Amino acid sequence: TLFRSHDFVGSAEEESMGYYPSDPMLCSEATDGNVPHSLEILYHQAGCTTANEALLVVLHLLMWETGYVTQGCEGKSLSMPGLWRSRGVHKLQYTHPQCDDVLATLSCVPMGNLLVINATLNIKGEIKHVKCLQLSPSPYVGAVDQEQNVAGIYKDLQKLSRLVKDQLAYPLLASARHALNLPDIVGLVALPLELQLRVLRQLDVHSVLTLSTLCHDLKMVTNDPFLWRFMFQRDFGDLPLRPLDTDWKQIYRERSEE
């Protein structure tokens, strides 16, 4: 549910209000010189001054792509967490709809040329250490400059996406569900969020609504606003400019009743 930078056509005023381009892009689809528009927004919002901070912005975006929600920001648009930048240790905290009441924390510590990421889970007050991932910014982040095109700063995001999701995001979710004695997820709900959305984009609206009644997890993903935005454009042909927090499901319903 992300954005292609080269598809955005709008004024600076529109961008500041949260408008977005027409075609979603994931970090796994990025190429050098072409990055998700959401990454551009996050980068400028964060005011990055170091390569480590620029890497943290991508890390946060990849967690969001995997279905994690910033603690205290449920239902809100993607943004950097409050107080994410701190002296010595950067902390990113998330919940996930597939394991309620579990708080996942990424404690990120710059050490020389590395960013050391310690992932822990807070499960009913008990802290469980899950993963430790060390990333070097240099393969993924070039010279950091607020005036530079963001697409020129980041590189090899496809590799970084696989690394973070396979070694951090998904194992963290699996550990949380195991600790809660939740059953293994199979079928459509077992797929990563981005793949679920790609499957749903192939379905007609009646099928999507039917899936939404089957379980809590499918209800969550079928309510994704960018899925409904995609279906609106696919089924009705036009796409008016709207703010990021637009309820596209409601807009779709209103148009279908006309």
Side-chain angles (χ1 to χ4, degrees):
T1 55
L2 309 176
F3 327 110
R4 286 189 197 277
S5 57
H6 66 275
D7 286 334
F8 182 74
V9 180
S11 65
E13 180 182 1
E14 287 171 336
E15 183 166 355
S16 68
M17 293 175 62
Y19 290 97
Y20 40 65
S22 61
D23 195 14
M25 176 193 272
L26 299 165
C27 287
S28 60
E29 301 170 315
T31 57
D32 289 349
N34 187 26
V35 301
H37 185 66
S38 50
L39 179 56
E40 298 182 17
I41 293 174
L42 282 176
Y43 177 86
H44 289 300
Q45 180 192 91
C48 297
T49 59
T50 68
N52 279 325
E53 290 179 353
L55 186 60
L56 279 167
V57 168
V58 185
L59 175 63
H60 176 59
L61 182 56
L62 291 170
M63 294 294 287
W64 188 77
E65 283 187 10
T66 321
Y68 289 87
V69 180
T70 308
Q71 184 190 26
C73 295
E74 293 79 0
K76 297 183 180 179
S77 301
L78 173 66
S79 61
M80 291 303 295
L83 304 176
W84 68 277
R85 182 192 284 110
S86 59
R87 184 173 300 177
V89 179
H90 305 277
K91 284 195 175 183
L92 306 174
Q93 293 187 312
Y94 306 94
T95 57
H96 197 287
Q98 292 183 357
C99 47
D100 295 335
D101 301 324
V102 174
L103 180 64
T105 299
L106 304 184
S107 300
C108 310
V109 183
M111 298 185 65
N113 295 325
L114 294 175
L115 184 67
V116 180
I117 305 164
N118 288 295
T120 59
L121 296 171
N122 185 328
I123 304 171
K124 299 178 180 180
E126 181 180 347
I127 305 299
K128 178 182 179 182
H129 183 268
V130 178
K131 294 286 290 185
C132 180
L133 180 64
Q134 297 183 4
L135 292 175
S136 172
S138 58
Y140 313 109
V141 180
V144 174
D145 184 351
Q146 281 294 314
E147 302 300 322
Q148 184 180 349
N149 186 339
V150 177
I153 294 174
Y154 290 101
K155 50 191 176 180
D156 210 358
L157 289 181
Q158 293 186 16
K159 179 180 178 181
L160 181 61
S161 176
R162 292 193 302 270
L163 181 64
V164 169
K165 291 179 180 180
D166 291 347
Q167 297 191 27
L168 185 66
Y170 295 138
L172 195 60
L173 178 58
S175 293
R177 291 186 62 84
H178 178 74
L180 293 174
N181 294 316
L182 294 174
D184 292 337
I185 305 174
V186 296
L188 179 60
V189 293
L191 295 176
L193 177 63
E194 62 263 34
L195 295 184
Q196 291 179 352
L197 291 172
R198 290 192 188 192
V199 171
L200 294 177
R201 284 168 65 152
Q202 308 303 313
L203 304 179
D204 59 70
V205 64
H206 176 73
S207 298
V208 171
L209 290 173
T210 300
L211 280 173
S212 71
T213 66
L214 298 182
C215 69
H216 173 73
D217 291 337
L218 287 177
K219 182 178 180 180
M220 293 286 294
V221 72
T222 54
N223 280 328
D224 184 276
F226 296 104
L227 170 64
W228 284 95
R229 181 174 177 272
F230 169 85
M231 293 195 299
F232 184 96
Q233 184 178 34
R234 180 195 66 190
D235 296 344
F236 300 119
D238 61 332
L239 191 67
L241 278 176
R242 298 275 183 168
L244 275 171
D245 58 358
T246 294
D247 185 347
W248 283 100
K249 185 177 181 180
Q250 179 63 29
I251 298 296
Y252 189 105
R253 181 183 294 112
E254 293 172 356
R255 173 64 71 89
S256 64
E257 292 174 351
E258 291 179 358

